[in-house]
């Protein structure tokens, strides 16, 4: 989603800003722009599309300004055009914004009455003109910001240049995250620390309502009440993760291949395979005596929670509810202090998940996160973080972060299980997991293209599964939608008769997930129902799970290594990832940055 970078210091700013934007590009964007300030004039360059377009425009321009702001935009208000790209400006103010201003329409109306003209359809331009208006009313930049803060409703992180203030970038934050980085040659701002890791190791995370400015060697802040405040810098070593594809055609392919290692790392962070014990930090959770678990997340993270529910209930015996964050935050569910509230997020910056967490925190109930990005907002706000050791995930479609979330959930279920003596079997099963996942990654990579060729020709499809394979059917449908743009639905196989079976016809494929579980025969009955209505069937099947006669119902089958019921959801996950990947490839889609999507969804 939108990204912000800003720099003020002794070096020319433009090239630093572009490098910062490149680091943020994984978040997804559709236009970009920079503005520098020199001799009281803004020099702004913006472009629609990829950063390359912006770089082409900047090529050959000598720009010695040592202060500037930059932005990657993911369209919310208005199409992805150059006119809507940030920075937005007038002769006094130039600014970049992440978030959404909810009262932009009424503010715009007021500004139109004051004679302001708008060249974009964005909510951000309203902020630029509102600040301009306050300056013309005799306020200085700091006073104008305070006034702004009282007026704006919604979420915002802002980096602002005032033409009258040559050496400062003004900053302000409410809802959307903003971080200040201290570098050797100057101060930076960023929407996340990842953009600044190359130059900074000391970071200060702004609190909600903070506003102020950065200069070359200084940060000055005021809190929401307008009182000066100190926020400390902390040492954060942003691991400059390898953002190269390492020979793979797409980050997604690389990240699918990384899963055996990610699983190994995440499991061994929590489980001791030598002693069959739970690692100490994690075991402390057990003494809390939770009665229930409430999981909250969005998209793929939510679906990890849907699968985790089976383990938390089946292994730990804890009633578990799972809710999407955008509903949880408004559902007025009673918050109970003997419930563990568990927020799952790869980025730790998802606006809905953060808002849901705030509600629980306000009541004082215990909160935990399964999170992949250390120092992210969620990581900083929860009582306890269970990290997933997936490393930076660049592909917009989540793959390795999902399997790492599953590992953390499985390990958590073991930790919370009442009788640890019965757990040995689970340890044995999990020990074999990385190897089985490796076999699946390699095998299905070779075989999935065959089925993907068929799937790419359709516009609708269905994934079905039961029990722990039901959430994977949902995840398969989500992956397929976001990557191939084919309409896909995931259903619990037993639910087919209650409506979706009406969709079945010769051009509507159903992908059935089948393993050697007690419910296999029931899923096979549902497969028969599809076959009887002429729907083409494809199977993702554990080796040995079908007889020759049962195989005959399917047009094609991808066989996964034979394994236990506990492990098969992991292997099925790999299969649905490759299926979506190759279907998207056949359709010629942008695999790492699918249309309309953002990696980190920082607005509601
Ligand atoms: C997954 O493929 C998606 N791109 C998306 O659903 C994602 O999982 C969701 O936006 C939640 O993100 P988070 O894990 O960073 O909170």
């Amino acid at each position: 989603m939108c990204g912000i970078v800003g720099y003020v210091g002794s070096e020319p700013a433009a090239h630093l800003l572009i490098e910062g934007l490149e680091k943020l590009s994984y978040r997804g964007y559709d236009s970009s722009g920079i503005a520098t300030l020199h001799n009281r004039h803004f020099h702004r360059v913006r472009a629609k599309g990829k950063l390359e377009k912006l770089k082409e425009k900047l090529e050959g321009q000598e720009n010695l300004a040592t202060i500037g702001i930059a932005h990657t935009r993911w369209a919310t208000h208005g199409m992805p055009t150059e006119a809507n790209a940030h920075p937005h400006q007038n002769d006094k103010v130039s600014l970049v914004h992440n978030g959404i201003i909810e009262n932009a329409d009424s503010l715009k109306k007021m500004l139109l009455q004051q004679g302001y003209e708008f060249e974009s359809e964005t909510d951000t331009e309203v902020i630029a003109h509102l600040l301009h208006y306050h300056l013309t009313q005799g306020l200085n930049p700091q006073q104008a910001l305070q006034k702004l803060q009282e007026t704006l409703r919604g979420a915002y992180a802002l980096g602002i240049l005032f033409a009258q203030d040559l050496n400062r970038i003004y900053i302000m934050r409410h809802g959307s995250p903003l971080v200040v980085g201290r570098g050797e040659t100057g101060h930076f701002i960023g929407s996340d620390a990842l953009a600044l890791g190359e130059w900074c190791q000391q970071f200060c995370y702004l609190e909600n309502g903070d506003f102020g400015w950065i200069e070359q060697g200084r940060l000055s802040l005021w809190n929401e009440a307008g009182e000066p405040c100190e926020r400390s810098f902390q040492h954060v070593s942003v691991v400059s993760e390898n953002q190269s594809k390492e020979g793979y055609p797409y980050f997604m392919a690389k990240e699918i291949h990384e899963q055996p290692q990610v699983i190994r790392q995440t499991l061994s962070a929590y489980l001791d395979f030598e002693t069959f014990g739970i690692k100490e930090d994690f075991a402390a959770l057990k003494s809390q005596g939770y009665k229930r678990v409430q999981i909250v997340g969005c998209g793929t993270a939510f679906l990890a929670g849907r699968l985790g529910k089976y383990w938390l209930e089946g292994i730990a015996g804890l009633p578990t509810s799972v809710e999407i964050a955008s509903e949880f935050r408004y559902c007025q569910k009673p918050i109970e202090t003997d419930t563990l509230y568990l927020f799952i997020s790869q980025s730790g910056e998802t606006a809905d998940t953060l808002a849901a967490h705030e509600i629980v925190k306000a009541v004082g109930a215990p909160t935990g996160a399964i999170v992949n990005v250390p120092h992210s907002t969620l990581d900083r706000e929860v009582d306890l973080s269970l990290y997933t050791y997936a490393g930076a995930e660049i592909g917009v479609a989540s793959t390795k972060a999902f399997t790492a979330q599953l590992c953390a959930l499985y390990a958590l279920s073991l930790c919370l299980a009442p009788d640890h003596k019965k757990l040995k079997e689970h340890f044995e099963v999990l020990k074999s997991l990385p190897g089985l996942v490796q076999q699946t990654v390699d095998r299905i990579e070779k075989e999935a293209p065959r089925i993907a060729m068929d799937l790419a020709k359709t516009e609708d499809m269905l994934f079905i599964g039961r029990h722990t394979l039901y959430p994977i059917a949902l995840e398969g449908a989500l992956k397929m939608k976001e990557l191939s743009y084919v309409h896909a639905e995931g259903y619990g196989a037993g639910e087919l008769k209650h409506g979706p079976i009406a969709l079945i016809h010769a051009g509507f494929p159903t992908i059935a997930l089948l393993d050697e579980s007690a419910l296999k025969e029931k899923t096979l009955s549902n497969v028969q129902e599809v076959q009887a209505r002429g729907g083409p069937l494809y199977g993702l099947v554990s080796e040995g799970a079908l007889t020759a006669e049962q195989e005959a119902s399917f047009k094609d089958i991808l066989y996964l290594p034979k394994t236990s019921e506990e492990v098969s959801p992991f292997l099925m996950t790999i299969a649905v990832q490759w299926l979506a990947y190759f279907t998207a490839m056949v359709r010629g889609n942008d695999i790492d940055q699918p249309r309309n999507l953002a990696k980190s969804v920082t607005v509601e």
Side-chain angles (χ1 to χ4, degrees), residues 305-315 466-468 470-471:
R306 290 281 298 260
L307 180 49
K309 173 183 162 73
Y310 289 89
W311 295 325
L312 284 160
E313 292 183 340
I315 301 171
R466 278 179 185 255
H467 195 63
T468 53
Y470 170 30

Side-chain angles (χ1 to χ4, degrees), residues 297-302 344-351 353 393 395-399 401 405 475 478-479 482 597-601:
C298 300
T300 285
F302 161 73
I344 307 182
S345 175
Q346 186 284 129
S347 62
E349 300 295 353
T350 302
T353 308
E393 190 179 63
V396 166
S398 189
T399 52
Q405 286 158 358
E475 171 64 1
L478 178 61
K479 286 276 102 62
E482 60 179 344
L597 295 182
K599 182 71 186 159
S600 180
V601 183

